[in-house]
Amino acid sequence: MWDWNFVWQIIPQLADGVVITIQATVLGTIIAMIAGLGLAIARRSRNKFIRYPFGFAAEFIRGTPLLVQLYFLFYILPDLGILLSPMVAGVIGLGVHYATYTAEVYRTGIDNVSKGQWEAAKAINLSTRQTWTQIIIPQAIPPMIPALANYFISMFKETPLLAAITVLELMNQARSVANYHYKYVEPMTMVGAFFLLVSVPSVIFLRRLEKRFAPKLR
Amino acid sequence: MTDPIIRIEGVSKSFGNFEVLKDLSFTVAPGEKLALIGPSGSGKTTILRILMTLEEINGGGIFVDDEPLWHMPKNGALVKADEAHLHKMRAKIGMVFQLFNLFPHKTVLENVTLAPMLTKGTPKAEANALAMDLLAMVGMADKASQKPAELSGGQKQRVAIARALALRPKIMLFDEVTSALDPELVEEVLNVLRKLADETDMTMLLVTHEMNFAHDFSDRVLFFDGGRIVESGPPDQIFTNPQEERTQTFLRKIVAAGQRI
């Protein structure tokens, strides 16, 4: 049933997929971190013309499946004249989808910085930008790191969805190998093992992060 | 007579339906040490917060150093102040809070150097030297490299005073700065305030429940109740011979609670 020779034979092709999976996760994470922060700040805006549209967009994205969003980005946007490569569509899809979740983490982290810190910053005459960069964000981020990391691990495990829009990530490579050889056990087991090998240490690392940063909230 | 450094003219302020300040007017002379006393909810903290621009006013006007605080001149009329005007006005005022509000992620030294470096562009070496002078003045120079979490309440409050002084404000506001402290730590903070009052010509407004200190510290005492000034006068008069019945009742309660006046 289990063929070690076949395993060795398909490793190079799966390795190509691993590279794409990691690239998609890293790029998606970067987008989710930056766009999530922007979204959190936009949703705190005093201007309702900023606050409401971003709020609506965030709820819309969170309330619909990532797979549907990927289809929109890759198959429907070209009808509107916007043509994205599979990888670009996939990374944008992952990043923006998870930005709506990271925005909530940022929002909670920002809300946890006491009102007194905002007032002290005002009392020493810092500008709004200086207050954010020097006082609020440096205090808000450390306690959020475990929650953010949790979402990035989830994102990593959702990268196989990119196969649906022809990104040659690990799952797609494994499926292609399996279909070609009509042998599914080894490639699918290897895909599962890879995700497990990355996820389990990540979760252990996450627990350490929680211990390291969570007490700072108190 | 010199012009007042603070003019409060018919100021009103409400939180929802609760009117905290009712048509409040008073002036403060340059260099004057003013104690604001009165029961909780009487509006004395609110007036400090309004002066620090942490709360907006609903009516009336405030002038600091002959310039409107919450308004600005535009096309010959006074309009609501924009952020740039408030920023300019805030530079004249410093505030020390009841709960210190030090920045926990920065060292004691960084807490004090932050404002001069960011708002005035003071070079780091100069800001450090100024901060060390201020920390020495409040007796905290040896803690410069520590984080606020490593300090006692009294030490935190002394650092907060140094931080507020770092911008060299003309006016300092002290909002119940000893209320959150254990009794044995109160004196170290009051000593710093005494020193400031004796050695500087800054205008100082102090909201406090420490009547004995208010008596020693201030040139004038304002007794607040229900969003109005019920009585004002020199500390000797207010504390030993109050004219208004409400003031007398308040002070009797304070004495009954064990404070010496």
Side-chain angles (χ1 to χ4, degrees), chain A residues 115-117 119-127 130 134-135 138-139, chain B residues 49 53-54 87 90-91 101-106 114 118-119 163 167:
Chain A
K115 191 174 157 225
Q117 294 291 304
E119 293 186 344
K122 199 180 248 190
I124 62 167
N125 215 7
L126 300 190
S127 67
Q130 289 165 340
Q134 295 289 324
I135 308 300
Q139 289 186 69
Chain B
R49 292 175 58 80
T53 72
L54 301 177
H87 187 74
R90 269 183 218 124
N101 297 344
L102 291 179
F103 304 128
H105 58 300
K106 303 219 175 262
L114 194 64
L118 291 181
T119 68
R163 181 178 68 179
L167 284 177

Side-chain angles (χ1 to χ4, degrees), chain B residues 162-202:
Chain B
R163 181 178 68 179
L165 291 171
L167 284 177
R168 304 221 176 279
K170 291 183 173 180
I171 299 162
M172 277 285 277
L173 312 171
F174 298 95
D175 182 21
E176 301 193 28
V177 291
T178 58
S179 297
L181 300 179
D182 291 334
E184 71 270 21
L185 302 176
V186 168
E187 203 54 32
E188 63 181 84
V189 173
L190 295 185
N191 283 338
V192 171
L193 295 191
R194 279 190 194 100
K195 196 170 164 185
L196 265 182
D198 291 343
E199 294 177 5
T200 71
D201 58 358
M202 257 185 308

Side-chain angles (χ1 to χ4, degrees), chain B residues 18-73:
Chain B
F18 180 57
E19 202 176 9
V20 191
L21 299 177
K22 297 168 187 165
D23 194 21
L24 182 74
S25 299
F26 66 92
T27 60
V28 185
E32 193 175 18
K33 316 291 181 249
L34 197 66
L36 284 65
I37 64 166
S40 296
S42 58
K44 52 197 192 304
T45 287
T46 305
I47 194 68
L48 293 199
R49 292 175 58 80
I50 285 172
L51 282 167
M52 194 63 255
T53 72
L54 301 177
E55 303 284 356
E56 287 189 43
I57 55 177
N58 299 128
I62 297 178
F63 294 83
V64 172
D65 223 6
D66 273 335
E67 283 188 89
L69 178 67
W70 277 105
H71 299 87
M72 59 181 195

Side-chain angles (χ1 to χ4, degrees), chain B residues 105-125:
Chain B
H105 58 300
K106 303 219 175 262
T107 64
V108 163
L109 184 68
E110 287 165 346
N111 263 277
V112 184
T113 56
L114 194 64
M117 286 170 63
L118 291 181
T119 68
K120 288 183 170 176
T122 309
K124 189 173 181 182

